[in-house]
Amino acid sequence: MSEFKNLKLDVENEVAVLTISRPAALNALNSETLDELNVALTEIEARDDVKVVILTGGPDKKGNEFKSFVAGADIAEMVNFSAAEARTFGMKASVPFFKLMNMRQVTIAAVNGFALGGGCEISMACDIRIASDNAIFGQPECGLGIIPGFGGTQRLARLVGMGRAKEMIFTCDNIKADEAYRIGLVNKVVAPEELMATAKAMAAKIVSKGSYAVSIAKAAINNGYDMDIKNAVEMEANLFGVTCSTHDKKEGMTAFLEKRAADLTDF
């Protein structure tokens, strides 16, 4: 694996923990970090020994590990952007964000502390979001004279509905973890000290299932979401057929009939 300045990567038991670590900037996303994320996710996707990726934020410069997931995009870098430079920056972010969304591995955001602007946006690019109860979500961009540029106007509306997304983006109001759970922005809220253990327990449960089937299910959900229902169901039937031609299908169903644990190995 490559060496990174702003990321840390640990792999254990088929789960990769990818930590964004810019302690002096509360893990804000600059161009260098986005490039590193793209490299890291590309390398992880190619690994058969990684089935789930947990994305989280590292501690601040005082060692407070619950201060910030990702505080946003790096305003110090953006302040003098031209229109063309801003567009380039947004498109640069879209590359690793789409990798989180579409890579064959399941991606879980373990959100600790601030998830504002680009932090909220990168969490929404993941398949699942688990938040500590001190997490804060928001899209404050309009208060800075801009709009969300890392997918916020699109992913937020798809997750929580157009009305709530407009309210959050137009008012720039932050919301706490319990409200994020109530509106469907996060899947689960836990105490800060339980965040990583909860994320790893969920990852282990996902790893124990048919990893190839999970990756196909992820593709079916993503690709069918914006299709009309007739074509989406036809696509699902085609992918169902693909999974029925695998070792895991034979092993999984045989194990069920024999009342034993299945040994699922495809990926």
Side-chain angles (χ1 to χ4, degrees):
M1 294 291 290
S2 300
E3 295 292 324
F4 302 109
K5 178 180 176 182
N6 302 304
L7 305 175
K8 296 178 181 177
L9 177 65
D10 297 294
V11 177
E12 185 178 4
N13 299 325
E14 300 184 295
V15 177
V17 177
L18 185 59
T19 303
I20 299 172
S21 181
R22 293 189 70 216
L26 294 179
N27 305 325
L29 299 174
N30 62 356
S31 291
E32 182 179 58
T33 305
L34 292 170
D35 287 338
E36 289 189 357
L37 279 167
N38 187 42
V39 171
L41 293 171
T42 299
E43 294 182 359
I44 289 168
E45 187 174 24
R47 294 179 60 161
D48 289 339
D49 65 329
V50 175
K51 308 294 176 59
V52 179
V53 180
I54 298 173
L55 181 72
T56 195
D60 66 11
K61 60 184 178 181
K62 295 182 179 179
N64 182 354
E65 61 182 315
F66 300 117
K67 183 65 178 285
S68 182
F69 171 67
V70 170
D74 194 327
I75 294 173
E77 181 178 1
M78 294 191 294
V79 63
N80 293 316
F81 273 175
S82 67
E85 288 168 333
R87 181 186 186 281
T88 298
F89 191 49
M91 294 307 296
K92 179 187 287 287
S94 75
V95 178
F97 283 33
F98 274 119
K99 279 192 168 67
L100 286 166
M101 179 180 172
N102 294 320
M103 64 196 299
R104 58 183 179 148
Q105 288 87 353
V106 174
T107 54
I108 300 173
V111 181
N112 46 324
F114 295 119
L116 305 176
C120 187
E121 288 166 308
I122 197 170
S123 77
M124 292 190 292
C126 295
D127 298 314
I128 296 165
R129 284 152 296 286
I130 302 173
S132 65
D133 61 18
N134 70 333
I136 301 292
F137 295 84
Q139 298 288 166
E141 289 88 350
C142 285
L144 301 173
I146 58 174
I147 69 167
F150 290 179
T153 61
Q154 304 306 306
R155 289 192 174 96
L156 186 59
R158 284 165 168 79
L159 281 169
V160 305
M162 189 177 291
R164 293 193 186 280
K166 286 179 176 178
E167 179 183 354
M168 285 182 64
I169 291 169
F170 297 169
T171 66
C172 304
D173 286 346
N174 295 336
I175 61 172
K176 296 181 179 179
D178 57 349
E179 176 68 1
Y181 176 76
R182 190 182 73 83
I183 66 174
L185 181 55
V186 302
N187 299 71
K188 190 183 293 287
V189 178
V190 298
E193 61 272 16
E194 298 173 1
L195 177 63
M196 289 308 297
T198 302
K200 288 179 178 179
M202 183 181 288
K205 180 179 287 189
I206 293 168
V207 166
S208 74
K209 309 305 177 186
S211 294
Y212 180 70
V214 169
S215 69
I216 295 298
K218 174 175 174 171
I221 294 167
N222 285 350
N223 293 332
Y225 190 79
D226 290 320
M227 286 185 182
D228 67 86
I229 189 66
K230 182 177 183 298
N231 286 324
V233 169
E234 182 177 353
M235 175 201 66
E236 181 188 76
N238 292 335
L239 294 176
F240 173 62
V242 169
T243 59
C244 281
S245 66
T246 64
H247 162 273
D248 275 3
K249 174 262 186 181
K250 182 67 174 177
E251 166 62 13
M253 291 190 175
T254 301
F256 176 83
L257 294 173
E258 295 177 353
K259 296 181 171 55
R260 60 175 175 83
D263 180 20
L264 305 177
T265 60
D266 292 330
F267 188 49

